[in-house]
Amino acid sequence: MVSVPVRDTSGAERGTVELTADIFGIDPNVPVMHQVVTAQLAARRSGTHKTKTRSEVRGGGGKPWRQKGTGRARHGSIRSPLWRGGGIAHGPQPRNYAQSTPKKMKRLALRSALSDRAAEGKIIVVDDWGFDVPSTKSAVAKLEALGAGGRVLAVLERDDVTALRSFRNLPRVHTLAADQLNTYDVLVSDVVVFTTAALAEVNRP
């Protein structure tokens, strides 16, 4: 097991906590992480892109000129893809980009991402945020005291609304409930900060 210090919001150590080796101490599986992150980003796409085909473009109901005898190329509609203002041939149509990813693969990717952050010393555990009322200024001070710089992922308890409101105005801080933890948000963050209660939900053998 990997041992990390538990700190209070002033940065002082208040003890240690053991990280489960099966979650925070495995060899990261890079191909699986890549596949899962690709699937996550694909699922975010709205898929609402749309171009009109020749049957959907307004106008062009009549044949522009007779078939023969004009010396010009034959055409049946001015809304053909060959014409300016015509329909688009083989253009994008609405579609669902979601990919099916096995649950075991998602779990392995998340464990790999957490293990990578733990190996780099990018896991911080705080005993409790201690917000009495929502305060962005206080949130900034607490993060600085913990040495959490760059892009921060704060993993909270689901009912910790005060901490959520304190962090939500900070553009470099992303908050998640422990049961929403995912591979992409772990990998895209420079530091992952857990409360002891949130870590207990994740740090199960």
Side-chain angles (χ1 to χ4, degrees):
M1 286 189 175
V2 180
S3 178
V4 295
V6 177
R7 304 178 185 277
D8 60 19
T9 52
S10 66
E13 292 190 18
R14 297 299 182 186
T16 60
V17 64
E18 298 290 336
L19 301 180
T20 305
D22 289 342
I23 299 174
F24 292 91
I26 68 172
D27 291 328
N29 190 318
V30 177
V32 169
M33 286 194 292
H34 176 270
Q35 184 170 341
V36 169
V37 169
T38 299
Q40 278 189 256
L41 295 178
R44 291 185 177 188
R45 298 184 64 175
S46 60
T48 55
H49 41 37
K50 175 73 168 71
T51 56
K52 292 184 178 180
T53 64
R54 63 183 296 163
S55 66
E56 297 168 322
V57 180
R58 182 184 177 92
K63 190 172 174 65
W65 51 76
R66 59 195 177 97
Q67 181 83 348
K68 294 179 179 293
T70 64
R72 306 178 71 179
R74 55 194 175 188
H75 286 288
S77 171
I78 63 172
R79 292 300 175 247
S80 161
L82 301 177
W83 286 62
R84 181 177 181 272
I88 303 298
H90 311 299
Q93 298 294 320
R95 56 166 289 193
N96 180 13
Y97 282 93
Q99 302 176 16
S100 177
T101 309
K103 290 181 180 178
K104 287 185 178 180
M105 185 176 289
K106 291 179 182 178
R107 286 195 291 265
L108 175 58
L110 178 56
R111 286 160 47 213
S112 295
L114 290 172
S115 296
D116 178 72
R117 287 293 171 264
E120 293 182 354
K122 300 298 185 180
I123 300 289
I124 297 175
V125 182
V126 61
D127 53 0
D128 184 72
W129 286 113
F131 291 107
D132 296 323
V133 294
S135 171
T136 303
K137 182 177 180 180
S138 178
V140 172
K142 292 175 189 291
L143 290 174
E144 289 179 352
L146 291 170
R151 185 181 173 94
V152 178
L153 174 61
V155 185
L156 310 172
E157 297 170 82
R158 182 168 286 278
D159 59 353
D160 195 354
V161 179
T162 310
L164 172 63
R165 291 178 177 174
S166 299
F167 288 121
R168 66 183 177 184
N169 286 332
L170 298 175
R172 67 183 181 89
V173 179
H174 182 55
T175 58
L176 281 178
D179 58 356
Q180 294 177 323
L181 201 59
N182 61 84
T183 306
Y184 174 77
D185 285 317
V186 172
L187 290 178
V188 80
S189 302
D190 298 311
V191 180
V192 183
V193 184
F194 290 92
T195 61
T196 50
L199 180 62
E201 296 184 38
V202 179
N203 195 31
R204 294 174 180 171

